[in-house]
Amino acid sequence: MPVIDRLADVPALVGKELGVSDWMTIDQARSDAVADATGDHQWIHVDLERAAAEMPTGTTIAHGYLILSLVPFLASPLLEVCDVTRTLNYGCNKVRYTAMVPTGSRIRARRKLLSAESGSGGLRLVSEITFE
């Protein structure tokens, strides 16, 4: 993980992979909590018996938005800038869910810095985050 002393040095990292997070297990309790928080109780996420019988994974799968919500936790620590006092999430440019994440599996995030544009007294960073 790069530790950068000054924000002005971040653009030198454009085009480089910043690192890979630790592994994190996606357990059923987390999926159930997301179902309760979002109201998305679709059986593929919460019904263990039906998922065992009907899902190709033989288990429930994580909500796509659960995985997306883990970007700050898993990917943000992959770049530390010492003179930054706050960061803001500007949004997502493109999100694709290319594979199911079976409950009980482990994921990690890989972060590559695509751009760093000056503006509003700071930098707008665009990163590519890939979950494995």
Side-chain angles (χ1 to χ4, degrees):
M1 171 184 75
V3 177
I4 306 300
D5 291 326
R6 299 175 321 118
L7 187 63
D9 295 333
V10 172
L13 298 173
V14 170
K16 296 182 178 163
E17 183 172 285
L18 302 179
V20 180
S21 73
D22 291 334
W23 290 101
M24 174 185 203
T25 300
I26 303 299
D27 60 19
Q28 188 62 49
R30 188 178 298 268
S31 287
D32 291 343
V34 168
D36 290 341
T38 63
D40 181 359
H41 290 90
Q42 187 178 176
W43 69 267
I44 63 174
H45 303 305
V46 298
D47 189 332
L48 296 170
E49 290 179 17
R50 186 171 177 188
E54 297 183 36
M55 290 295 290
T57 60
T59 186
T60 56
I61 60 171
H63 296 76
Y65 287 120
L66 164 57
I67 304 305
L68 184 61
S69 76
L70 294 171
V71 168
F73 179 75
L74 293 173
S76 292
L78 299 176
L79 175 63
E80 180 181 341
V81 184
C82 296
D83 68 348
V84 170
T85 59
R86 67 185 169 279
T87 63
L88 299 170
N89 181 344
Y90 189 71
C92 299
N93 292 340
K94 180 180 177 183
V95 176
R96 296 292 179 262
Y97 302 106
T98 59
M100 292 182 276
V101 177
T103 304
S105 61
R106 297 181 319 148
I107 64 168
R108 66 181 179 177
R110 183 176 298 275
R111 182 176 182 181
K112 179 179 179 180
L113 186 60
L114 299 181
S115 67
E117 299 175 9
S118 295
S120 302
L123 285 177
R124 183 182 312 166
L125 304 181
V126 176
S127 295
E128 177 181 84
I129 310 296
T130 305
F131 282 97
E132 303 173 337

